[in-house]
Amino acid sequence: MAMENFKQFLFALAAAVSVGFVAIIFVLRWVLYFKEGLAWDGGAAEFNWHPVLTVSGFIFMQGIAIVVYRLPWTWKCSKFMMKLIHAGLNILAFIFAVISLVAVFDFHNSQSIPNMYSLHSWVGLAAVILYSLQLVLGVCIYLIPLTPTNLRAVFMPLHIYSGLFIFTSVIATALMGITEKLIFGLKDPKYKDSPPEATFVNVLGMLIVLFGAVILWIVTRPSWKRPSEQVLLSHPTNGRESDDTKVGITLSQPTDQVDTEGSREARRRSGKLEDSGQAD
Ligand code: HEM
Ligand code: HEM
């Protein structure tokens, strides 16, 4: 099934993946070259796992998980398979985030530094808690086959909104953390004197913002949305079984273009679901 503006999509995806990779290389170079390296010893090198795991896991992996449905070469895969990949990547990102928190709490406790005093830590912990809630609700509503289709449709706008809200909050948290760490860590010369480490890490912050901007661009283009199962099924080149939901329309494809017997029946049964535009 062809995608509108495929070349623009490829360009945006390549930009997101390469900016994300460069950000991971930057955070590794920061901790390995400018800072104390990586270790699990209660010292500064243990803290360093915190930025490494948040940037590679909580930011990069979450970003990729968010756009995974939009990859047109996956549209021939079943929706169920794509849900497993979307959920799996998000679970992996969550595990990275939790280990990154263990690293910073353990570092604080062994150095007798107070916990949870900063705005960074408040927003960050709130984002991790909301993320875990999003994961549990996502699995219960979209993976468990018993959930009624209309509940799936009603919940979808909230799922998308809260997913994007959490992703944006995580990026804001990272920027606060980076700024704090530069202010704490740079003594002579100070942050305000722009030593090479400060400039390098400011660029890391800009890369993170750019990564977030491109991911949000990709995921908010209506014409790049994965077509609904009925649209895919009505397409002769995609002859395969749908996994669960056969209702819902895609924003890019009005239903009158796919008015097969099956889809008319699906719309009749789904009733109001069509209005939400998101049945699964
Ligand atoms: C501390 C969350 C990214 C730097 C903390 C704490 C939390 C947290 C909950 C409190 C730990 C405690 O009180 O013992 C997050 C989340 C991130 C993130 C969810 C996801 C993006 C970063 C990044 C840096 C960073 C990229 C850059 C170095 C710090 C610093 C502290 C800290 C310096 C200790 C000072 C403080 O508590 O604010 N973080 N963090 N964080 N984080 Fe992050
Ligand atoms: C779609 C975020 C977990 C199922 C989305 C979208 C976002 C998102 C932003 C919109 C994607 C698009 O429009 O292409 C998240 C986040 C999660 C999470 C941040 C983790 C905390 C889950 C889980 C499931 C799930 C565990 C269970 C399978 C879905 C489904 C869609 C979706 C079915 C609709 C895709 C489509 O029809 O195109 N999610 N999600 N999500 N998510 Fe999640």
Side-chain angles (χ1 to χ4, degrees):
M1 169 129 207
M3 173 189 245
E4 266 178 53
N5 302 324
F6 179 61
K7 280 195 179 142
Q8 275 178 33
F9 174 81
L10 271 191
F11 177 77
L13 184 70
V17 172
S18 20
V19 169
F21 266 126
V22 176
I24 294 173
I25 291 168
F26 264 57
V27 75
L28 282 171
R29 184 167 156 83
W30 182 23
V31 302
L32 296 175
Y33 175 75
F34 290 104
K35 308 296 288 179
E36 307 78 7
L38 292 166
W40 202 273
D41 56 4
E46 181 170 333
F47 168 83
N48 290 342
W49 281 111
H50 181 64
V52 168
L53 295 175
T54 48
V55 172
S56 57
F58 211 21
I59 296 177
F60 184 72
M61 257 181 235
Q62 181 182 181
I64 299 301
I66 284 176
V67 296
V68 88
Y69 289 110
R70 302 218 162 209
L71 309 175
W73 46 91
T74 68
W75 290 352
K76 60 185 184 309
C77 302
S78 71
K79 184 71 176 272
F80 182 68
M81 169 65 78
M82 293 319 295
K83 287 183 190 178
L84 287 182
I85 295 173
H86 176 74
L89 283 170
N90 275 311
I91 289 170
L92 212 61
F94 179 68
I95 293 171
F96 273 53
V98 169
I99 302 173
S100 89
L101 290 193
V102 174
V104 64
F105 274 96
D106 196 46
F107 164 70
H108 276 186
N109 294 340
S110 50
Q111 306 287 320
S112 304
I113 301 171
N115 291 313
M116 296 305 297
Y117 64 87
S118 65
L119 177 61
H120 164 78
S121 60
W122 288 20
V123 178
L125 191 65
V128 175
I129 293 169
L130 287 177
Y131 195 73
S132 67
L133 206 69
Q134 172 94 345
L135 267 180
V136 172
L137 286 176
V139 169
C140 293
I141 296 176
Y142 298 109
L143 269 187
I144 294 175
L146 299 173
T147 316
T149 312
N150 66 338
L151 181 69
R152 292 182 171 194
V154 165
F155 192 72
M156 185 46 75
L158 188 62
H159 180 81
I160 295 176
Y161 169 77
S162 52
L164 298 181
F165 174 70
I166 295 168
F167 179 64
T168 314
S169 310
V170 169
I171 288 182
T173 304
L175 300 182
M176 284 189 269
I178 285 173
T179 309
E180 272 187 3
K181 188 67 181 171
L182 286 173
I183 293 173
F184 296 159
L186 292 169
K187 292 278 186 270
D188 189 24
K190 290 183 174 165
Y191 191 16
K192 69 177 172 59
D193 301 320
S194 294
E197 180 181 341
T199 313
F200 183 81
V201 181
N202 283 355
V203 174
L204 167 64
M206 294 300 291
L207 289 171
I208 291 174
V209 171
L210 194 59
F211 176 74
V214 182
I215 292 291
L216 291 178
W217 174 261
I218 294 175
V219 85
T220 51
R221 290 317 86 212
S223 63
W224 293 345
K225 191 171 163 48
R226 180 186 162 99
S228 74
E229 292 306 271
Q230 65 184 12
V231 171
L232 289 170
L233 283 169
S234 71
H235 215 264
T237 52
N238 290 305
R240 56 158 183 49
E241 285 296 307
S242 127
D243 61 273
D244 49 4
T245 46
K246 288 195 169 64
V247 289
I249 53 166
T250 166
L251 294 166
S252 58
Q253 181 112 19
T255 36
D256 56 2
Q257 287 177 16
V258 288
D259 211 11
T260 60
E261 192 57 39
S263 66
R264 271 200 303 276
E265 172 60 12
R267 285 206 307 283
R268 189 187 60 71
R269 276 188 284 116
S270 63
K272 268 182 68 190
L273 299 185
E274 287 286 298
D275 300 334
S276 78
Q278 307 272 4
D280 54 346

